[in-house]
PDB file of all heavy atoms in Angstrom:
ATOM      1  N   ALA Q   1     -25.912  11.875  16.310  1.00  0.00           N
ATOM      2  CA  ALA Q   1     -26.231  13.140  16.964  1.00  0.00           C
ATOM      3  C   ALA Q   1     -25.485  13.202  18.285  1.00  0.00           C
ATOM      4  O   ALA Q   1     -25.370  12.196  18.992  1.00  0.00           O
ATOM      5  CB  ALA Q   1     -27.731  13.272  17.187  1.00  0.00           C
ATOM      6  N   VAL Q   2     -24.976  14.386  18.603  1.00  0.00           N
ATOM      7  CA  VAL Q   2     -24.178  14.540  19.814  1.00  0.00           C
ATOM      8  C   VAL Q   2     -24.708  15.731  20.610  1.00  0.00           C
ATOM      9  O   VAL Q   2     -25.117  16.750  20.050  1.00  0.00           O
ATOM     10  CB  VAL Q   2     -22.674  14.732  19.452  1.00  0.00           C
ATOM     11  CG1 VAL Q   2     -22.466  15.961  18.604  1.00  0.00           C
ATOM     12  CG2 VAL Q   2     -21.802  14.762  20.687  1.00  0.00           C
ATOM     13  N   ASP Q   3     -24.770  15.546  21.930  1.00  0.00           N
ATOM     14  CA  ASP Q   3     -25.289  16.571  22.830  1.00  0.00           C
ATOM     15  C   ASP Q   3     -24.129  17.411  23.345  1.00  0.00           C
ATOM     16  O   ASP Q   3     -23.350  16.972  24.200  1.00  0.00           O
ATOM     17  CB  ASP Q   3     -26.029  15.913  23.999  1.00  0.00           C
ATOM     18  CG  ASP Q   3     -26.742  16.929  24.886  1.00  0.00           C
ATOM     19  OD1 ASP Q   3     -26.424  18.127  24.782  1.00  0.00           O
ATOM     20  OD2 ASP Q   3     -27.604  16.529  25.673  1.00  0.00           O
ATOM     21  N   LEU Q   4     -23.986  18.623  22.828  1.00  0.00           N
ATOM     22  CA  LEU Q   4     -22.890  19.516  23.198  1.00  0.00           C
ATOM     23  C   LEU Q   4     -23.414  20.564  24.177  1.00  0.00           C
ATOM     24  O   LEU Q   4     -23.791  21.670  23.793  1.00  0.00           O
ATOM     25  CB  LEU Q   4     -22.305  20.178  21.951  1.00  0.00           C
ATOM     26  CG  LEU Q   4     -21.794  19.216  20.868  1.00  0.00           C
ATOM     27  CD1 LEU Q   4     -21.364  19.984  19.625  1.00  0.00           C
ATOM     28  CD2 LEU Q   4     -20.657  18.357  21.396  1.00  0.00           C
ATOM     29  N   ALA Q   5     -23.464  20.164  25.447  1.00  0.00           N
ATOM     30  CA  ALA Q   5     -23.939  21.064  26.522  1.00  0.00           C
ATOM     31  C   ALA Q   5     -25.326  21.607  26.202  1.00  0.00           C
ATOM     32  O   ALA Q   5     -25.589  22.816  26.312  1.00  0.00           O
ATOM     33  CB  ALA Q   5     -22.943  22.190  26.745  1.00  0.00           C
ATOM     34  N   GLY Q   6     -26.222  20.705  25.798  1.00  0.00           N
ATOM     35  CA  GLY Q   6     -27.590  21.097  25.500  1.00  0.00           C
ATOM     36  C   GLY Q   6     -27.845  21.447  24.053  1.00  0.00           C
ATOM     37  O   GLY Q   6     -29.005  21.582  23.631  1.00  0.00           O
ATOM     38  N   ARG Q   7     -26.792  21.594  23.277  1.00  0.00           N
ATOM     39  CA  ARG Q   7     -26.907  21.889  21.838  1.00  0.00           C
ATOM     40  C   ARG Q   7     -26.746  20.579  21.090  1.00  0.00           C
ATOM     41  O   ARG Q   7     -25.651  20.051  20.972  1.00  0.00           O
ATOM     42  CB  ARG Q   7     -25.828  22.893  21.447  1.00  0.00           C
ATOM     43  CG  ARG Q   7     -25.864  23.372  20.016  1.00  0.00           C
ATOM     44  CD  ARG Q   7     -24.861  24.502  19.797  1.00  0.00           C
ATOM     45  NE  ARG Q   7     -23.511  24.090  20.146  1.00  0.00           N
ATOM     46  CZ  ARG Q   7     -22.504  23.983  19.267  1.00  0.00           C
ATOM     47  NH1 ARG Q   7     -22.708  24.247  17.992  1.00  0.00           N
ATOM     48  NH2 ARG Q   7     -21.307  23.623  19.663  1.00  0.00           N
ATOM     49  N   LYS Q   8     -27.841  20.017  20.576  1.00  0.00           N
ATOM     50  CA  LYS Q   8     -27.801  18.712  19.922  1.00  0.00           C
ATOM     51  C   LYS Q   8     -27.570  18.901  18.430  1.00  0.00           C
ATOM     52  O   LYS Q   8     -28.349  19.555  17.739  1.00  0.00           O
ATOM     53  CB  LYS Q   8     -29.083  17.935  20.199  1.00  0.00           C
ATOM     54  CG  LYS Q   8     -29.257  17.623  21.687  1.00  0.00           C
ATOM     55  CD  LYS Q   8     -30.480  16.801  21.972  1.00  0.00           C
ATOM     56  CE  LYS Q   8     -30.562  16.508  23.474  1.00  0.00           C
ATOM     57  NZ  LYS Q   8     -31.736  15.683  23.817  1.00  0.00           N
ATOM     58  N   MET Q   9     -26.466  18.312  17.950  1.00  0.00           N
ATOM     59  CA  MET Q   9     -26.028  18.511  16.579  1.00  0.00           C
ATOM     60  C   MET Q   9     -25.778  17.168  15.898  1.00  0.00           C
ATOM     61  O   MET Q   9     -25.320  16.217  16.535  1.00  0.00           O
ATOM     62  CB  MET Q   9     -24.723  19.318  16.556  1.00  0.00           C
ATOM     63  CG  MET Q   9     -24.792  20.681  17.206  1.00  0.00           C
ATOM     64  SD  MET Q   9     -25.732  21.866  16.219  1.00  0.00           S
ATOM     65  CE  MET Q   9     -24.667  22.023  14.773  1.00  0.00           C
ATOM     66  N   TRP Q  10     -26.060  17.114  14.589  1.00  0.00           N
ATOM     67  CA  TRP Q  10     -25.642  15.966  13.799  1.00  0.00           C
ATOM     68  C   TRP Q  10     -24.163  16.117  13.468  1.00  0.00           C
ATOM     69  O   TRP Q  10     -23.705  17.203  13.117  1.00  0.00           O
ATOM     70  CB  TRP Q  10     -26.442  15.864  12.506  1.00  0.00           C
ATOM     71  CG  TRP Q  10     -27.824  15.336  12.700  1.00  0.00           C
ATOM     72  CD1 TRP Q  10     -29.000  16.014  12.614  1.00  0.00           C
ATOM     73  CD2 TRP Q  10     -28.171  13.981  13.028  1.00  0.00           C
ATOM     74  NE1 TRP Q  10     -30.064  15.184  12.871  1.00  0.00           N
ATOM     75  CE2 TRP Q  10     -29.586  13.926  13.124  1.00  0.00           C
ATOM     76  CE3 TRP Q  10     -27.438  12.826  13.256  1.00  0.00           C
ATOM     77  CZ2 TRP Q  10     -30.272  12.757  13.441  1.00  0.00           C
ATOM     78  CZ3 TRP Q  10     -28.113  11.653  13.572  1.00  0.00           C
ATOM     79  CH2 TRP Q  10     -29.506  11.620  13.656  1.00  0.00           C
ATOM     80  N   ALA Q  11     -23.426  15.023  13.604  1.00  0.00           N
ATOM     81  CA  ALA Q  11     -21.989  15.058  13.351  1.00  0.00           C
ATOM     82  C   ALA Q  11     -21.596  13.903  12.446  1.00  0.00           C
ATOM     83  O   ALA Q  11     -22.099  12.783  12.589  1.00  0.00           O
ATOM     84  CB  ALA Q  11     -21.214  14.964  14.659  1.00  0.00           C
ATOM     85  N   GLU Q  12     -20.708  14.190  11.499  1.00  0.00           N
ATOM     86  CA  GLU Q  12     -20.100  13.142  10.685  1.00  0.00           C
ATOM     87  C   GLU Q  12     -18.702  12.886  11.226  1.00  0.00           C
ATOM     88  O   GLU Q  12     -17.936  13.826  11.440  1.00  0.00           O
ATOM     89  CB  GLU Q  12     -20.027  13.555   9.220  1.00  0.00           C
ATOM     90  CG  GLU Q  12     -19.488  12.443   8.320  1.00  0.00           C
ATOM     91  CD  GLU Q  12     -19.419  12.847   6.859  1.00  0.00           C
ATOM     92  OE1 GLU Q  12     -18.852  13.906   6.568  1.00  0.00           O
ATOM     93  OE2 GLU Q  12     -19.925  12.091   6.012  1.00  0.00           O
ATOM     94  N   ASP Q  13     -18.377  11.630  11.468  1.00  0.00           N
ATOM     95  CA  ASP Q  13     -17.117  11.236  12.107  1.00  0.00           C
ATOM     96  C   ASP Q  13     -16.398  10.274  11.169  1.00  0.00           C
ATOM     97  O   ASP Q  13     -16.868   9.155  10.937  1.00  0.00           O
ATOM     98  CB  ASP Q  13     -17.428  10.563  13.449  1.00  0.00           C
ATOM     99  CG  ASP Q  13     -16.210  10.459  14.354  1.00  0.00           C
ATOM    100  OD1 ASP Q  13     -15.087  10.475  13.829  1.00  0.00           O
ATOM    101  OD2 ASP Q  13     -16.393  10.345  15.577  1.00  0.00           O
ATOM    102  N   THR Q  14     -15.277  10.701  10.596  1.00  0.00           N
ATOM    103  CA  THR Q  14     -14.542   9.860   9.653  1.00  0.00           C
ATOM    104  C   THR Q  14     -13.070   9.806  10.041  1.00  0.00           C
ATOM    105  O   THR Q  14     -12.546  10.739  10.644  1.00  0.00           O
ATOM    106  CB  THR Q  14     -14.652  10.390   8.211  1.00  0.00           C
ATOM    107  OG1 THR Q  14     -14.066  11.702   8.152  1.00  0.00           O
ATOM    108  CG2 THR Q  14     -16.088  10.478   7.755  1.00  0.00           C
ATOM    109  N   GLY Q  15     -12.428   8.717   9.706  1.00  0.00           N
ATOM    110  CA  GLY Q  15     -11.011   8.605  10.021  1.00  0.00           C
ATOM    111  C   GLY Q  15     -10.451   7.257   9.620  1.00  0.00           C
ATOM    112  O   GLY Q  15     -11.017   6.542   8.781  1.00  0.00           O
ATOM    113  N   ARG Q  16      -9.362   6.912  10.244  1.00  0.00           N
ATOM    114  CA  ARG Q  16      -8.685   5.657   9.956  1.00  0.00           C
ATOM    115  C   ARG Q  16      -8.142   5.110  11.272  1.00  0.00           C
ATOM    116  O   ARG Q  16      -7.566   5.851  12.061  1.00  0.00           O
ATOM    117  CB  ARG Q  16      -7.531   5.918   8.972  1.00  0.00           C
ATOM    118  CG  ARG Q  16      -7.030   4.670   8.263  1.00  0.00           C
ATOM    119  CD  ARG Q  16      -6.155   5.065   7.085  1.00  0.00           C
ATOM    120  NE  ARG Q  16      -6.943   5.577   5.982  1.00  0.00           N
ATOM    121  CZ  ARG Q  16      -6.856   5.155   4.728  1.00  0.00           C
ATOM    122  NH1 ARG Q  16      -6.003   4.213   4.406  1.00  0.00           N
ATOM    123  NH2 ARG Q  16      -7.595   5.688   3.787  1.00  0.00           N
ATOM    124  N   TRP Q  17      -8.382   3.807  11.511  1.00  0.00           N
ATOM    125  CA  TRP Q  17      -7.836   3.199  12.726  1.00  0.00           C
ATOM    126  C   TRP Q  17      -6.639   2.317  12.373  1.00  0.00           C
ATOM    127  O   TRP Q  17      -6.539   1.799  11.260  1.00  0.00           O
ATOM    128  CB  TRP Q  17      -8.887   2.412  13.504  1.00  0.00           C
ATOM    129  CG  TRP Q  17      -9.511   1.221  12.822  1.00  0.00           C
ATOM    130  CD1 TRP Q  17     -10.696   1.177  12.161  1.00  0.00           C
ATOM    131  CD2 TRP Q  17      -8.986  -0.130  12.769  1.00  0.00           C
ATOM    132  NE1 TRP Q  17     -10.945  -0.094  11.687  1.00  0.00           N
ATOM    133  CE2 TRP Q  17      -9.919  -0.914  12.045  1.00  0.00           C
ATOM    134  CE3 TRP Q  17      -7.829  -0.733  13.256  1.00  0.00           C
ATOM    135  CZ2 TRP Q  17      -9.714  -2.274  11.812  1.00  0.00           C
ATOM    136  CZ3 TRP Q  17      -7.627  -2.087  13.016  1.00  0.00           C
ATOM    137  CH2 TRP Q  17      -8.563  -2.843  12.301  1.00  0.00           C
ATOM    138  N   PHE Q  18      -5.743   2.204  13.359  1.00  0.00           N
ATOM    139  CA  PHE Q  18      -4.507   1.452  13.180  1.00  0.00           C
ATOM    140  C   PHE Q  18      -4.421   0.391  14.277  1.00  0.00           C
ATOM    141  O   PHE Q  18      -4.753   0.645  15.433  1.00  0.00           O
ATOM    142  CB  PHE Q  18      -3.301   2.388  13.243  1.00  0.00           C
ATOM    143  CG  PHE Q  18      -3.349   3.465  12.198  1.00  0.00           C
ATOM    144  CD1 PHE Q  18      -4.041   4.652  12.432  1.00  0.00           C
ATOM    145  CD2 PHE Q  18      -2.720   3.300  10.980  1.00  0.00           C
ATOM    146  CE1 PHE Q  18      -4.105   5.652  11.479  1.00  0.00           C
ATOM    147  CE2 PHE Q  18      -2.775   4.292  10.007  1.00  0.00           C
ATOM    148  CZ  PHE Q  18      -3.474   5.467  10.258  1.00  0.00           C
ATOM    149  N   ALA Q  19      -3.977  -0.804  13.884  1.00  0.00           N
ATOM    150  CA  ALA Q  19      -3.988  -1.944  14.803  1.00  0.00           C
ATOM    151  C   ALA Q  19      -2.768  -1.949  15.707  1.00  0.00           C
ATOM    152  O   ALA Q  19      -1.706  -1.428  15.376  1.00  0.00           O
ATOM    153  CB  ALA Q  19      -4.048  -3.249  14.017  1.00  0.00           C
ATOM    154  N   GLY Q  20      -2.952  -2.585  16.881  1.00  0.00           N
ATOM    155  CA  GLY Q  20      -1.837  -2.869  17.771  1.00  0.00           C
ATOM    156  C   GLY Q  20      -1.231  -4.216  17.432  1.00  0.00           C
ATOM    157  O   GLY Q  20      -1.560  -4.844  16.419  1.00  0.00           O
ATOM    158  N   SER Q  21      -0.358  -4.701  18.298  1.00  0.00           N
ATOM    159  CA  SER Q  21       0.343  -5.958  18.019  1.00  0.00           C
ATOM    160  C   SER Q  21      -0.590  -7.158  18.034  1.00  0.00           C
ATOM    161  O   SER Q  21      -0.255  -8.207  17.479  1.00  0.00           O
ATOM    162  CB  SER Q  21       1.473  -6.158  19.041  1.00  0.00           C
ATOM    163  OG  SER Q  21       0.973  -6.092  20.364  1.00  0.00           O
ATOM    164  N   ASP Q  22      -1.778  -7.016  18.663  1.00  0.00           N
ATOM    165  CA  ASP Q  22      -2.738  -8.120  18.679  1.00  0.00           C
ATOM    166  C   ASP Q  22      -3.704  -8.064  17.498  1.00  0.00           C
ATOM    167  O   ASP Q  22      -4.613  -8.885  17.386  1.00  0.00           O
ATOM    168  CB  ASP Q  22      -3.527  -8.129  19.995  1.00  0.00           C
ATOM    169  CG  ASP Q  22      -4.277  -6.827  20.244  1.00  0.00           C
ATOM    170  OD1 ASP Q  22      -4.199  -5.921  19.393  1.00  0.00           O
ATOM    171  OD2 ASP Q  22      -4.940  -6.717  21.298  1.00  0.00           O
ATOM    172  N   GLY Q  23      -3.509  -7.091  16.598  1.00  0.00           N
ATOM    173  CA  GLY Q  23      -4.364  -6.978  15.423  1.00  0.00           C
ATOM    174  C   GLY Q  23      -5.629  -6.174  15.642  1.00  0.00           C
ATOM    175  O   GLY Q  23      -6.348  -5.872  14.694  1.00  0.00           O
ATOM    176  N   ARG Q  24      -5.914  -5.822  16.890  1.00  0.00           N
ATOM    177  CA  ARG Q  24      -7.134  -5.059  17.189  1.00  0.00           C
ATOM    178  C   ARG Q  24      -6.843  -3.555  17.140  1.00  0.00           C
ATOM    179  O   ARG Q  24      -5.698  -3.142  17.281  1.00  0.00           O
ATOM    180  CB  ARG Q  24      -7.671  -5.450  18.572  1.00  0.00           C
ATOM    181  CG  ARG Q  24      -8.158  -6.887  18.623  1.00  0.00           C
ATOM    182  CD  ARG Q  24      -8.800  -7.170  19.952  1.00  0.00           C
ATOM    183  NE  ARG Q  24      -9.283  -8.544  20.028  1.00  0.00           N
ATOM    184  CZ  ARG Q  24      -9.949  -9.036  21.052  1.00  0.00           C
ATOM    185  NH1 ARG Q  24     -10.186  -8.281  22.103  1.00  0.00           N
ATOM    186  NH2 ARG Q  24     -10.364 -10.283  21.037  1.00  0.00           N
ATOM    187  N   PRO Q  25      -7.893  -2.752  16.974  1.00  0.00           N
ATOM    188  CA  PRO Q  25      -7.672  -1.306  16.919  1.00  0.00           C
ATOM    189  C   PRO Q  25      -6.947  -0.780  18.154  1.00  0.00           C
ATOM    190  O   PRO Q  25      -7.344  -1.070  19.286  1.00  0.00           O
ATOM    191  CB  PRO Q  25      -9.097  -0.741  16.822  1.00  0.00           C
ATOM    192  CG  PRO Q  25      -9.896  -1.828  16.174  1.00  0.00           C
ATOM    193  CD  PRO Q  25      -9.316  -3.110  16.710  1.00  0.00           C
ATOM    194  N   ALA Q  26      -5.878  -0.022  17.927  1.00  0.00           N
ATOM    195  CA  ALA Q  26      -5.096   0.544  19.028  1.00  0.00           C
ATOM    196  C   ALA Q  26      -5.098   2.067  18.993  1.00  0.00           C
ATOM    197  O   ALA Q  26      -4.970   2.703  20.035  1.00  0.00           O
ATOM    198  CB  ALA Q  26      -3.655   0.036  18.965  1.00  0.00           C
ATOM    199  N   ARG Q  27      -5.240   2.642  17.801  1.00  0.00           N
ATOM    200  CA  ARG Q  27      -5.184   4.094  17.669  1.00  0.00           C
ATOM    201  C   ARG Q  27      -6.046   4.514  16.495  1.00  0.00           C
ATOM    202  O   ARG Q  27      -6.170   3.788  15.508  1.00  0.00           O
ATOM    203  CB  ARG Q  27      -3.737   4.554  17.443  1.00  0.00           C
ATOM    204  CG  ARG Q  27      -3.548   6.037  17.256  1.00  0.00           C
ATOM    205  CD  ARG Q  27      -2.061   6.405  17.153  1.00  0.00           C
ATOM    206  NE  ARG Q  27      -1.418   5.777  16.014  1.00  0.00           N
ATOM    207  CZ  ARG Q  27      -1.387   6.320  14.801  1.00  0.00           C
ATOM    208  NH1 ARG Q  27      -1.991   7.472  14.567  1.00  0.00           N
ATOM    209  NH2 ARG Q  27      -0.766   5.701  13.810  1.00  0.00           N
ATOM    210  N   ALA Q  28      -6.671   5.670  16.618  1.00  0.00           N
ATOM    211  CA  ALA Q  28      -7.482   6.198  15.521  1.00  0.00           C
ATOM    212  C   ALA Q  28      -7.155   7.673  15.322  1.00  0.00           C
ATOM    213  O   ALA Q  28      -6.847   8.388  16.280  1.00  0.00           O
ATOM    214  CB  ALA Q  28      -8.966   6.032  15.825  1.00  0.00           C
ATOM    215  N   ARG Q  29      -7.214   8.092  14.076  1.00  0.00           N
ATOM    216  CA  ARG Q  29      -7.038   9.503  13.746  1.00  0.00           C
ATOM    217  C   ARG Q  29      -8.148   9.886  12.784  1.00  0.00           C
ATOM    218  O   ARG Q  29      -8.394   9.182  11.797  1.00  0.00           O
ATOM    219  CB  ARG Q  29      -5.683   9.764  13.107  1.00  0.00           C
ATOM    220  CG  ARG Q  29      -5.458  11.227  12.740  1.00  0.00           C
ATOM    221  CD  ARG Q  29      -4.042  11.519  12.310  1.00  0.00           C
ATOM    222  NE  ARG Q  29      -3.887  12.911  11.935  1.00  0.00           N
ATOM    223  CZ  ARG Q  29      -3.722  13.916  12.790  1.00  0.00           C
ATOM    224  NH1 ARG Q  29      -3.689  13.654  14.093  1.00  0.00           N
ATOM    225  NH2 ARG Q  29      -3.594  15.161  12.381  1.00  0.00           N
ATOM    226  N   GLY Q  30      -8.856  10.975  13.078  1.00  0.00           N
ATOM    227  CA  GLY Q  30      -9.973  11.323  12.222  1.00  0.00           C
ATOM    228  C   GLY Q  30     -10.357  12.780  12.356  1.00  0.00           C
ATOM    229  O   GLY Q  30      -9.671  13.584  12.990  1.00  0.00           O
ATOM    230  N   VAL Q  31     -11.483  13.100  11.744  1.00  0.00           N
ATOM    231  CA  VAL Q  31     -12.009  14.463  11.799  1.00  0.00           C
ATOM    232  C   VAL Q  31     -13.501  14.391  12.083  1.00  0.00           C
ATOM    233  O   VAL Q  31     -14.221  13.570  11.512  1.00  0.00           O
ATOM    234  CB  VAL Q  31     -11.721  15.223  10.486  1.00  0.00           C
ATOM    235  CG1 VAL Q  31     -12.342  14.518   9.294  1.00  0.00           C
ATOM    236  CG2 VAL Q  31     -12.211  16.667  10.570  1.00  0.00           C
ATOM    237  N   LEU Q  32     -13.956  15.231  13.007  1.00  0.00           N
ATOM    238  CA  LEU Q  32     -15.371  15.345  13.352  1.00  0.00           C
ATOM    239  C   LEU Q  32     -15.910  16.612  12.713  1.00  0.00           C
ATOM    240  O   LEU Q  32     -15.320  17.688  12.863  1.00  0.00           O
ATOM    241  CB  LEU Q  32     -15.540  15.406  14.871  1.00  0.00           C
ATOM    242  CG  LEU Q  32     -16.981  15.422  15.381  1.00  0.00           C
ATOM    243  CD1 LEU Q  32     -17.571  14.022  15.296  1.00  0.00           C
ATOM    244  CD2 LEU Q  32     -17.049  15.935  16.817  1.00  0.00           C
ATOM    245  N   ARG Q  33     -17.013  16.494  12.004  1.00  0.00           N
ATOM    246  CA  ARG Q  33     -17.611  17.647  11.336  1.00  0.00           C
ATOM    247  C   ARG Q  33     -19.052  17.815  11.794  1.00  0.00           C
ATOM    248  O   ARG Q  33     -19.868  16.905  11.647  1.00  0.00           O
ATOM    249  CB  ARG Q  33     -17.570  17.467   9.812  1.00  0.00           C
ATOM    250  CG  ARG Q  33     -18.196  18.629   9.033  1.00  0.00           C
ATOM    251  CD  ARG Q  33     -17.920  18.501   7.542  1.00  0.00           C
ATOM    252  NE  ARG Q  33     -18.585  17.336   6.979  1.00  0.00           N
ATOM    253  CZ  ARG Q  33     -19.809  17.364   6.447  1.00  0.00           C
ATOM    254  NH1 ARG Q  33     -20.503  18.490   6.413  1.00  0.00           N
ATOM    255  NH2 ARG Q  33     -20.338  16.277   5.941  1.00  0.00           N
ATOM    256  N   LEU Q  34     -19.355  18.960  12.378  1.00  0.00           N
ATOM    257  CA  LEU Q  34     -20.731  19.259  12.779  1.00  0.00           C
ATOM    258  C   LEU Q  34     -21.519  19.690  11.550  1.00  0.00           C
ATOM    259  O   LEU Q  34     -21.078  20.563  10.796  1.00  0.00           O
ATOM    260  CB  LEU Q  34     -20.759  20.363  13.837  1.00  0.00           C
ATOM    261  CG  LEU Q  34     -20.069  20.046  15.169  1.00  0.00           C
ATOM    262  CD1 LEU Q  34     -20.304  21.180  16.160  1.00  0.00           C
ATOM    263  CD2 LEU Q  34     -20.543  18.724  15.748  1.00  0.00           C
ATOM    264  N   GLU Q  35     -22.693  19.066  11.354  1.00  0.00           N
ATOM    265  CA  GLU Q  35     -23.489  19.344  10.158  1.00  0.00           C
ATOM    266  C   GLU Q  35     -24.565  20.392  10.417  1.00  0.00           C
ATOM    267  O   GLU Q  35     -24.577  21.453   9.815  1.00  0.00           O
ATOM    268  CB  GLU Q  35     -24.139  18.057   9.649  1.00  0.00           C
ATOM    269  CG  GLU Q  35     -23.144  16.998   9.187  1.00  0.00           C
ATOM    270  CD  GLU Q  35     -23.837  15.736   8.721  1.00  0.00           C
ATOM    271  OE1 GLU Q  35     -25.030  15.550   9.062  1.00  0.00           O
ATOM    272  OE2 GLU Q  35     -23.206  14.935   8.023  1.00  0.00           O
ATOM    273  N   ARG Q  36     -25.501  20.065  11.309  1.00  0.00           N
ATOM    274  CA  ARG Q  36     -26.624  20.968  11.586  1.00  0.00           C
ATOM    275  C   ARG Q  36     -27.261  20.553  12.899  1.00  0.00           C
ATOM    276  O   ARG Q  36     -26.935  19.514  13.471  1.00  0.00           O
ATOM    277  CB  ARG Q  36     -27.662  20.879  10.462  1.00  0.00           C
ATOM    278  CG  ARG Q  36     -28.241  19.487  10.263  1.00  0.00           C
ATOM    279  CD  ARG Q  36     -29.352  19.468   9.226  1.00  0.00           C
ATOM    280  NE  ARG Q  36     -29.843  18.130   8.972  1.00  0.00           N
ATOM    281  CZ  ARG Q  36     -30.735  17.492   9.736  1.00  0.00           C
ATOM    282  NH1 ARG Q  36     -31.220  18.081  10.832  1.00  0.00           N
ATOM    283  NH2 ARG Q  36     -31.137  16.268   9.427  1.00  0.00           N
ATOM    284  N   ALA Q  37     -28.186  21.388  13.372  1.00  0.00           N
ATOM    285  CA  ALA Q  37     -28.895  21.067  14.614  1.00  0.00           C
ATOM    286  C   ALA Q  37     -29.807  19.866  14.392  1.00  0.00           C
ATOM    287  O   ALA Q  37     -30.408  19.703  13.317  1.00  0.00           O
ATOM    288  CB  ALA Q  37     -29.700  22.273  15.076  1.00  0.00           C
ATOM    289  N   ALA Q  38     -29.880  19.011  15.402  1.00  0.00           N
ATOM    290  CA  ALA Q  38     -30.746  17.827  15.332  1.00  0.00           C
ATOM    291  C   ALA Q  38     -32.128  18.178  15.876  1.00  0.00           C
ATOM    292  O   ALA Q  38     -32.244  18.760  16.963  1.00  0.00           O
ATOM    293  CB  ALA Q  38     -30.138  16.687  16.144  1.00  0.00           C
TER     294      ALA Q  38
END
């Protein structure tokens, strides 16, 4: 659930992360979808 200036909504957050040279996450690309009011 995310608080959008007082409007609390359930959100689904999906994507894919890509590692840096140390193998740890360095960049992510995804899509946020608002579902309904919480």
Side-chain angles (χ1 to χ4, degrees):
V2 60
D3 187 344
L4 303 174
R7 184 172 57 115
K8 297 183 179 181
M9 301 288 294
W10 284 108
E12 184 180 51
D13 196 336
T14 62
R16 198 166 286 231
W17 63 263
F18 301 86
S21 55
D22 58 1
R24 294 186 180 184
R27 178 175 62 88
R29 180 171 178 80
V31 59
L32 184 77
R33 179 171 66 92
L34 297 186
E35 296 179 342
R36 59 175 176 82

